[in-house]
Amino acid sequence: MKKQILTIAIAISSLQFFAQDIKVRESNESFSNGGHNALSVTLCVTAENMVEKEWKSNMPDFGYDKSNEKSNEYFLDNVVVKDLGNNTMDVYSKVTEQKSEKTVTLTAAFDLGGAYLSSSEHKDKFEYMKKMMHQFAIKITKEDLDDQIKAAGKVLSNIQDKQAGLEKDNKGLADDITNYNQKIKKANEQIEQNKKDIETKKGEVAAQQKVVDGIKSKKESVK
């Protein structure tokens, strides 16, 4: 029960963060090949590997020559985003977890070939990639919430089952009390009837005793 209460409390407190808008930020970030202009988005999800997995599975939607994964970085070479034309770009991305805040941040830098994507120099492409990352973050956040809803639903179902069990027990106990009260009432009525019957039997006993005594007297008188 204490574990269930703790789970519910955590779920309620986490909802306060989800009320906030998901925002994609532009900043200079460090990668294996140096610091670059990049886009970052923070998601309030429960697992870092979930974001990594979904981001990697999302990237094949764009054409690319090869990929390379290092300890904390995922690299895609010669990515082609058809909506932006046939020019290629290299994509550096990483996922970091902020355990104390229960958040995960996805950061991506897009090398357009001599310059990294920025709002000041590549407005249209920047807005496209920003929107793409925003939609990705919304999708993953909702999927994570679906998982949380499913888990919370199981806890709710378990609590409801226990509540139903307690209600059933209470009904059984109440029925027992009703039956016991009926038995007590019937027993009290039987006791009162027995008292009357006992008095009647006392009179019958006295009368019969006289009969017995009379017969004994007759017997004694025979000589």
Side-chain angles (χ1 to χ4, degrees), residues 95-107:
V95 176
T96 54
E97 182 180 13
Q98 298 79 41
K99 292 185 179 180
S100 61
E101 299 176 9
K102 295 182 174 61
T103 60
V104 174
T105 298
L106 167 66
T107 304

Side-chain angles (χ1 to χ4, degrees), residues 49-167:
N49 58 358
M50 174 187 180
V51 178
E52 289 180 345
K53 180 180 177 181
E54 292 297 328
W55 174 251
K56 292 172 186 177
S57 65
N58 186 64
M59 294 312 291
D61 291 342
F62 306 117
Y64 62 90
D65 288 344
K66 61 181 180 179
S67 64
N68 182 33
E69 185 175 356
K70 296 183 179 181
S71 58
N72 190 39
E73 191 173 290
Y74 187 56
F75 170 71
L76 291 174
D77 185 36
N78 291 333
V79 175
V80 177
V81 181
K82 293 181 180 179
D83 290 345
L84 299 179
N86 295 321
N87 293 331
T88 62
M89 68 173 77
D90 293 340
V91 180
Y92 298 84
S93 60
K94 59 183 179 179
V95 176
T96 54
E97 182 180 13
Q98 298 79 41
K99 292 185 179 180
S100 61
E101 299 176 9
K102 295 182 174 61
T103 60
V104 174
T105 298
L106 167 66
T107 304
F110 306 90
D111 183 0
L112 303 180
Y116 279 79
L117 183 70
S118 69
S119 58
S120 60
E121 297 181 23
H122 320 95
K123 184 176 180 180
D124 292 342
K125 291 181 179 179
F126 179 87
E127 290 301 323
Y128 181 92
M129 300 310 293
K130 179 180 179 181
K131 181 179 180 181
M132 182 271 288
M133 289 185 65
H134 183 257
Q135 290 175 337
F136 171 80
I138 289 176
K139 174 177 176 288
I140 300 307
T141 301
K142 287 185 176 181
E143 287 178 358
D144 185 71
L145 284 171
D146 284 339
D147 291 340
Q148 292 187 46
I149 289 170
K150 185 177 180 180
K154 288 182 179 179
V155 174
L156 173 61
S157 179
N158 182 260
I159 295 172
Q160 288 173 329
D161 288 344
K162 290 184 177 180
Q163 176 188 341
L166 291 171
E167 290 173 348

Side-chain angles (χ1 to χ4, degrees), residues 22-26 39-42 126 129-131 133-135 137:
I22 295 174
K23 296 185 183 298
V24 180
R25 304 176 304 279
E26 181 180 18
L39 291 173
S40 298
V41 62
T42 298
F126 179 87
M129 300 310 293
K130 179 180 179 181
K131 181 179 180 181
M133 289 185 65
H134 183 257
Q135 290 175 337

